[in-house]
Amino acid sequence: HITITNDKGRLSKDDVEKMVRDAERFADEDKAVRERAEARNAYESAVYGLRSSLGDKAPAEDKATVDKLIADGIAWLEAHPDASKEEYESQLKQFQAVSTPIITKMYAAAGGPEGGHARRHARWHARWECPDGFPYGGPHPRAGAGPTIDELD
């Protein structure tokens, strides 16, 4: 949505109409640029997020894979600054295909859903005696709390 105002009376009606036409003409291009930037940011965030969250903590058996995945991701980003949205999305999908199982394995080993977290979560729900699992029918108190992997630098 684009708003053009003429508060000071400096623009003629023709000027305003031309600005509206130009904005409409470039709307699709602007959308494509925004989507490409979002795709690049998603891939970049995944690569740098893995580096900052797992870098030195990767299990010995996965350390070489994680190091190579991060190095390859950074190298690809540097070599392809003008890649398309589809290329960034493809790279992200390939990156996640390798990184997700490693992260999942580490999470489970540290007491993730199959371990300590699930027990704590069950105790919390039991304490609140919520038939649907959420107090007062609202969202989980930690829903949306904290950074996601996409937000890590």
Side-chain angles (χ1 to χ4, degrees):
H1 177 67
I2 298 170
T3 303
I4 299 172
T5 59
N6 191 15
D7 294 337
K8 306 280 185 195
R10 296 179 185 152
L11 299 172
S12 70
K13 183 176 180 182
D14 289 339
D15 290 338
V16 172
E17 288 174 4
K18 181 184 180 304
M19 293 172 86
V20 169
R21 281 192 309 272
D22 287 346
E24 290 170 350
R25 186 176 66 211
F26 294 115
D28 289 339
E29 184 179 327
D30 291 346
K31 180 181 175 189
V33 168
R34 183 181 66 250
E35 288 175 351
R36 184 185 154 279
E38 288 170 353
R40 178 181 172 89
N41 289 343
Y43 181 47
E44 199 169 59
S45 292
V47 172
Y48 287 103
L50 183 67
R51 182 175 77 174
S52 66
S53 66
L54 259 193
D56 296 335
K57 299 175 207 142
E61 67 270 13
D62 295 320
K63 180 82 170 117
T65 302
V66 169
D67 289 346
K68 182 172 177 10
L69 188 63
I70 292 167
D72 289 351
I74 292 170
W76 191 91
L77 283 162
E78 290 173 355
H80 300 89
D82 297 322
S84 70
K85 171 190 165 196
E86 292 75 18
E87 289 172 310
Y88 286 123
E89 289 173 343
S90 174
Q91 287 296 315
L92 177 60
K93 188 173 184 177
Q94 292 171 24
F95 183 87
Q96 289 172 331
V98 176
S99 65
T100 300
I102 294 169
I103 294 168
T104 302
K105 180 171 62 171
M106 284 184 60
Y107 184 66
E114 303 303 319
H117 175 73
R119 288 188 294 276
R120 287 189 303 278
H121 197 69
R123 284 194 305 268
W124 184 89
H125 285 300
R127 185 172 62 242
W128 282 86
E129 299 177 351
C130 307
D132 63 348
F134 300 106
Y136 313 110
H140 191 284
R142 286 192 270 162
T148 65
I149 196 159
D150 293 335
E151 296 169 341
L152 295 175
D153 290 333

